[in-house]
């Protein structure tokens, strides 16, 4: 059971709080993972009574939680721990009211979850300090993105660091809470079969793709300022690259793991100036069909400028310049309104030195993160019948089937529990965030300097054709 605490969720009426955080906390409560003294207090500008908020929370939780997991009795006990406090996070005076409402901590640890726009991170932290609500035991959770550039990320980190100790700052990337992402470390560091071949002598290239069929939905105003590079590449994709490429930590401990991830980010070959023309591709979706339904072009989406040049797709050829990975290209790709929803990592091994049989070679390790979580090793075997005709087969680990009797935890359940237990292993450290921005900033600058406009691609496709040329030059293609 975790520590006694107050969990205060800023942005408590938003989608993140209602669709992810509250269902995750419900599951933790249902499994007796929350201390008996835990209170969950949602904070937002809407003027709601506590009863109205509990009804709102119940409606959304029922929609998000599987029917067999929603227990009426458990919900009644859980909802008794919910409270609501209307306030404006931008107004310092409201934090004085909040302090009076909360009273003295009385041995409770206060955890502040900022499910808000990033521009509010620093004001909220400062208001908490002024109101005396940021004592030495308090913890703060920040959603990505942390800033929009290296300079802005550094400014946010410095301001937050003046209020909260680094060990009490949890920068959350929900991808790191996915079961299959964590299995990357188990796969690499607990299996003698793979470690000897996890290096440039045996690996031809690596592909990391996060493709979505959704458009910008109700995030147009934010997304049009951010784009795919800031929204996905700087955090999700680079975090996955780190887990694929990092060296084994001396021990499975937060600082040791994060030290190794920072080394990878600092080993990335810079992409500067005209390099962007050969190693990156920007794209923006046009009108098309998704699942048989017509969808509009990006520039016709709600809250998006009609002449926007924001990228909704980005592909990058990256290189990790160290002993293990020298010469191995890492292809990173993410896009909206793609043909299918899929997040996957492909480790393409080199062919055998001498090909004895016809039929080609596969030799791939495929790690699927969504929509289904599974790991498969694609190998060549003989087809039945006369002769030595080869065909690919899969050695497949379906995690849902392998652990069919165990409920699959959602990413936010695991990450919230880690916050409550003070475990920072799956969270980004300050120098991680800044090292990622230090690599991404020159790419953004190169696009601006060389007027690299987004390449159009129809919604429901696999992205702009130019993205295929990144791999075609190496004699390969994107895995589908």
């Amino acid at each position: 059971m975790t520590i006694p605490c107050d969990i205060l969720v800023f942005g408590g009426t938003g989608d993140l709080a209602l669709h992810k955080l509250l269902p995750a906390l419900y599951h933790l409560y249902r499994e007796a993972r929350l201390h008996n003294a835990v209170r969950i207090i949602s904070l937002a500008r809407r003027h709601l009574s506590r009863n109205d908020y509990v009804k709102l929370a119940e409606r959304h939780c029922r929609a998000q939680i599987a029917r067999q997991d929603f227990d009426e009795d458990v919900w009644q006990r859980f909802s008794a721990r919910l409270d609501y406090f209307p306030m404006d996070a931008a107004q310092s005076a409201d934090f004085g009211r909040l302090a009076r409402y909360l009273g003295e901590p009385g041995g409770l640890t206060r955890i502040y979850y900022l499910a808000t726009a990033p521009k509010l991170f620093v004001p909220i932290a400062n208001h908490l300090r002024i109101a005396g609500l940021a004592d030495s035991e308090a913890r703060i959770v920040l959603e990505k993105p942390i800033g929009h550039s290296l300079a802005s990320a550094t400014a946010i980190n410095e301001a937050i660091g003046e209020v909260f100790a680094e060990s009490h700052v949890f920068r959350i990337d929900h991808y790191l809470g996915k079961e299959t992402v964590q299995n990357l470390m188990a796969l690499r560091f607990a299996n003698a079969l793979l470690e000897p071949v996890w290096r440039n002598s045996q690996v031809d290239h690596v592909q990391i793709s996060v493709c979505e069929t959704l458009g910008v939905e109700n995030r147009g105003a934010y997304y049009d300022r951010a784009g795919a590079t800031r929204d996905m590449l700087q955090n999700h994709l680079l975090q996955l690259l780190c887990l694929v490429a990092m060296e084994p930590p001396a021990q499975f401990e937060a600082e040791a793991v994060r030290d190794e991830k920072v080394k990878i980010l600092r080993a990335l070959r810079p992409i500067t100036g005209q390099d962007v023309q050969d190693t990156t591709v920007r794209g923006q979706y046009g009108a098309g069909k998704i699942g048989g339904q017509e969808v509009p072009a990006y520039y016709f989406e709600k809250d998006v400028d009609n002449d926007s040049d924001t990228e909704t797709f980005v592909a990058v050829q990256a290189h990790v310049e160290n002993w293990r990975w020298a010469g191995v290209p890492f292809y990173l790709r993410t896009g909206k309104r793609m043909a299918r929803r899929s997040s996957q990592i492909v480790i393409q091994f080199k062919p055998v030195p001498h090909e004895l049989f016809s039929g080609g070679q596969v030799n791939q390790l495929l790690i699927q993160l969504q929509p289904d979580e599974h790991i498969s090793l694609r190998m060549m075997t003989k087809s039945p019948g006369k002769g030595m005709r080869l065909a690919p087969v899969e050695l497949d680990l379906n995690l849902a089937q392998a652990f069919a009797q165990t409920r699959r935890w959602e990413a936010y359940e695991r990450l919230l529990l880690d916050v409550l237990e003070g475990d920072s292993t799956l969270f980004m450290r300050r120098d991680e965030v800044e090292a990622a921005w230090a690599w991404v900033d020159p790419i953004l600058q190169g696009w601006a300097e060389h007027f690299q406009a987004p390449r159009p691609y129809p919604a429901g496709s696999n992205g702009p054709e130019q993205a295929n040329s990144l791999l075609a030059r190496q004699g390969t293609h994107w895995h589908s």
Side-chain angles (χ1 to χ4, degrees):
M1 188 175 288
T2 54
I3 58 173
C5 63
D6 283 343
I7 303 172
L8 292 94
V9 181
F10 287 89
T13 57
D15 286 350
L16 175 60
L18 294 172
H19 294 173
K20 295 295 185 181
L21 302 183
L22 289 182
L25 289 167
Y26 164 84
H27 280 300
L28 292 176
Y29 179 80
R30 183 171 179 257
E31 298 192 8
R33 300 278 185 165
L34 297 184
H35 194 279
N36 291 332
V38 162
R39 283 194 305 171
I40 302 162
I41 305 166
S42 290
L43 315 167
R45 288 181 296 180
R46 289 174 62 179
H47 288 282
L48 298 172
S49 68
R50 179 189 173 278
N51 286 340
D52 287 341
Y53 184 76
V54 170
K55 290 177 182 177
L56 177 69
E58 180 177 359
R59 185 168 72 251
H60 284 277
C61 285
R62 282 184 183 274
Q64 299 299 320
I65 298 169
R67 181 173 297 180
Q68 67 271 19
D69 293 328
F70 193 93
D71 184 291
E72 299 288 348
D73 291 337
V74 173
W75 174 259
Q76 292 303 318
R77 297 195 302 274
F78 172 74
S79 63
R81 301 184 176 279
L82 293 180
D83 205 348
Y84 183 75
F85 187 82
M87 64 174 290
D88 187 341
Q91 299 297 321
S92 179
D94 280 4
F95 286 80
R97 291 196 304 110
L98 178 63
R100 292 190 294 273
Y101 168 77
L102 292 174
E104 293 299 318
L108 295 175
T109 297
R110 285 172 178 160
I111 296 173
Y112 302 106
Y113 197 115
L114 274 54
T116 66
K119 66 181 181 181
L120 291 174
F121 290 173
V122 172
I124 289 175
N126 287 333
H127 295 332
L128 290 171
R129 175 180 55 81
I130 293 170
L133 293 171
D135 59 36
S136 61
E137 297 302 316
R139 302 171 189 175
I140 190 167
V141 185
L142 307 177
E143 277 281 340
K144 66 90 178 172
I146 309 296
H148 59 270
S149 64
L150 175 58
S152 61
T154 301
I156 290 173
N157 283 331
E158 288 180 351
I160 296 294
E162 291 178 359
V163 182
F164 296 88
E166 177 63 24
S167 60
H168 287 189
V169 180
F170 294 82
R171 300 173 188 85
I172 199 167
D173 183 338
H174 74 272
Y175 261 63
L176 297 183
K178 291 180 179 290
E179 199 75 53
T180 318
V181 172
Q182 293 175 67
N183 260 320
L184 270 172
M185 288 187 278
L187 190 72
R188 289 193 54 195
F189 305 138
N191 293 286
L193 174 68
L194 290 175
E195 177 55 26
V197 298
W198 209 270
R199 60 194 70 245
N200 54 8
S201 60
Q202 302 297 326
V203 175
D204 181 79
H205 69 272
V206 176
Q207 298 180 28
I208 302 175
S209 297
V210 178
C211 301
E212 301 175 278
T213 55
L214 292 174
V216 296
E217 306 306 301
N218 294 317
R219 302 168 69 227
Y222 156 74
Y223 196 90
D224 206 37
R225 296 191 303 271
T229 305
R230 293 183 174 95
D231 188 52
M232 296 292 289
L233 175 64
Q234 186 273 337
N235 37 76
H236 293 336
L237 291 179
L238 287 185
Q239 285 294 310
L240 293 177
L241 184 151
C242 287
L243 292 178
V244 170
M246 63 186 276
E247 293 297 317
Q251 55 190 347
F252 190 65
E253 179 271 331
E255 297 311 311
V257 170
R258 298 194 292 184
D259 285 345
E260 298 302 333
K261 288 163 66 182
V262 170
K263 290 177 186 177
I264 293 299
L265 292 170
R266 291 176 176 167
L268 285 170
R269 179 190 300 172
I271 299 176
T272 59
Q274 293 187 352
D275 292 343
V276 298
Q277 298 177 352
D278 298 324
T279 58
T280 72
V281 175
R282 300 175 75 206
Q284 186 185 97
Y285 66 80
K289 285 188 175 182
I290 299 287
Q293 298 292 319
E294 293 283 350
V295 297
Y298 171 73
Y299 45 80
F300 286 142
E301 296 279 18
K302 181 182 176 182
D303 297 327
V304 171
D305 288 340
N306 290 347
D307 59 351
S308 173
D309 66 349
T310 298
E311 77 281 357
T312 62
F313 173 98
V314 62
V316 178
Q317 180 185 16
H319 289 267
V320 179
E321 296 188 318
N322 62 15
W323 280 88
R324 183 183 289 266
W325 296 111
V328 177
F330 286 73
Y331 296 103
L332 313 178
R333 171 180 63 162
T334 184
K336 289 190 172 296
R337 292 296 192 203
M338 302 283 278
R340 60 188 58 83
R341 174 175 176 256
S342 177
S343 297
Q344 62 183 14
I345 300 167
V346 179
I347 312 296
Q348 178 64 59
F349 295 103
K350 291 181 178 179
V352 295
H354 176 59
E355 188 171 351
L356 286 176
F357 314 111
S358 62
Q361 299 186 31
V362 178
N363 301 314
Q364 282 180 347
L365 180 67
L366 174 63
I367 303 164
Q368 188 80 26
L369 308 177
Q370 64 181 24
D372 302 313
E373 293 183 319
H374 71 266
I375 299 168
S376 62
L377 183 61
R378 304 185 72 213
M379 305 176 68
M380 300 304 294
T381 188
K382 178 186 176 299
S383 293
K386 185 180 182 300
M388 289 297 295
R389 290 180 298 107
L390 303 187
V393 296
E394 292 190 1
L395 301 178
D396 188 41
L397 170 59
N398 187 305
L399 297 175
Q401 293 178 2
F403 301 98
Q405 303 305 312
T406 304
R407 187 183 66 84
R408 306 285 292 166
W409 281 37
E410 292 292 331
Y412 278 101
E413 293 176 51
R414 184 173 298 103
L415 295 172
L416 282 168
L417 184 59
D418 284 350
V419 172
L420 295 171
E421 294 179 342
D423 184 350
S424 301
T425 305
L426 298 177
F427 297 84
M428 293 177 288
R429 201 167 61 193
R430 171 179 176 165
D431 53 351
E432 257 186 276
V433 173
E434 294 174 7
W437 276 120
W439 186 72
V440 166
D441 265 5
I443 297 175
L444 296 168
Q445 184 177 351
W447 289 339
E449 290 176 351
H450 297 282
F451 308 103
Q452 186 160 329
R455 308 282 187 170
Y457 65 95
S461 70
N462 289 317
E465 182 59 34
Q466 290 80 3
N468 296 325
S469 64
L470 285 181
L471 284 78
R473 290 195 293 265
Q474 307 296 322
T476 187
H477 55 82
W478 293 105
H479 181 271
S480 176

